[in-house]
Amino acid sequence: MTVTEDPPPVPTARPSPPGDPVEDLYREHGRALLGYALRRCAGREEALDLVSDVFVVVCRRPDQVPQDEDGRRPWLFGVARLTLANLQRSRVRSGRLGQRLAADLGGEADGVPDPAALLAARADARRVRQALAGLSDADRELLTLVAWEGLTPAGAATALGLAPGTARVRLHRARTRLRTALTRLDTDSDTAPEETP
């Protein structure tokens, strides 16, 4: 008679200790950061990577995370903004390298569809994005932090490294410029000749 042994237990990941501050931050703000990233990244995987990178910063520098509840969310958006800027710089460098390689190999780097253009299928979203594109980077970032990410003007000021009063004034001016751009788009589309099939 042969005795069979039970297989060794499969190691499992240790659960986080109760009250883990990083996990608490993720549970509280992870979804909002993912929304921020999805609206700014070329794809879902890139957005998920961005959120992961933000929480890597949190793990590496826990002493820099604000202790007050109201300061954490703007701080996280500020980290996400800087991380995204690094990602975009890297993407530009990579694109230039790809173009050089394509030119050296005799291929063309053009003809690749823009993922953002594919995602902006709805007419209203396209119109707003078009109006936002006509604004400065600073206006666009301030408007989207307040409108899309739900930050208060003071929270957006923290994320952008501005004084709260300065952010409120800039937000008022940016909203005025956005309204003007949207009105201009509406009048341009009303006066444009209709296409015939």
Side-chain angles (χ1 to χ4, degrees):
M1 177 187 249
T2 308
V3 177
T4 60
E5 293 182 31
D6 290 335
V10 177
T12 58
R14 286 186 333 192
S16 298
D20 180 21
V22 175
E23 185 174 339
D24 292 345
L25 271 178
Y26 182 79
R27 288 183 191 278
E28 189 173 344
H29 302 290
R31 182 173 287 185
L33 284 170
L34 181 59
Y36 174 89
L38 285 170
R39 286 186 283 276
R40 286 165 175 79
C41 293
R44 186 172 194 273
E45 292 79 18
E46 189 175 288
L48 290 168
D49 287 345
L50 176 66
V51 173
S52 296
D53 290 344
V54 168
F55 283 97
V56 166
V57 171
V58 170
C59 290
R60 287 185 182 161
R61 297 188 230 153
D63 55 315
Q64 291 183 359
V65 178
Q67 296 304 312
D68 64 319
E69 289 291 325
D70 293 337
R72 289 185 188 138
R73 182 177 168 128
W75 183 83
L76 287 168
F77 278 108
V79 171
R81 182 175 159 266
L82 294 174
T83 304
L84 182 61
N86 288 337
L87 175 70
Q88 289 171 341
R89 280 191 297 272
S90 175
R91 190 182 308 134
V92 167
R93 284 191 303 268
S94 176
R96 279 191 242 138
L97 176 62
Q99 289 173 346
R100 280 192 306 224
L101 286 173
D104 289 346
L105 297 173
E108 289 189 16
D110 296 338
V112 177
D114 178 19
L118 296 175
L119 293 175
R122 292 178 45 212
D124 286 344
R126 188 176 307 122
R127 183 174 148 258
V128 170
R129 286 184 189 275
Q130 191 175 7
L132 283 171
L135 300 178
S136 69
D137 290 342
D139 283 351
R140 185 171 42 250
E141 189 66 16
L142 181 58
L143 284 167
T144 56
L145 281 172
V146 172
W148 291 350
E149 309 315 329
L151 292 182
T152 64
T158 301
L160 296 171
L162 301 171
T166 302
R168 281 191 286 278
V169 170
R170 287 185 183 178
L171 180 61
H172 172 73
R173 291 176 181 163
R175 285 176 174 159
T176 301
R177 286 190 278 271
L178 179 63
R179 271 193 294 274
T180 302
L182 287 169
T183 303
R184 190 176 313 125
L185 284 174
D186 288 342
T187 58
D188 289 349
S189 66
D190 290 343
T191 59
E194 291 185 27
E195 294 182 19
T196 55

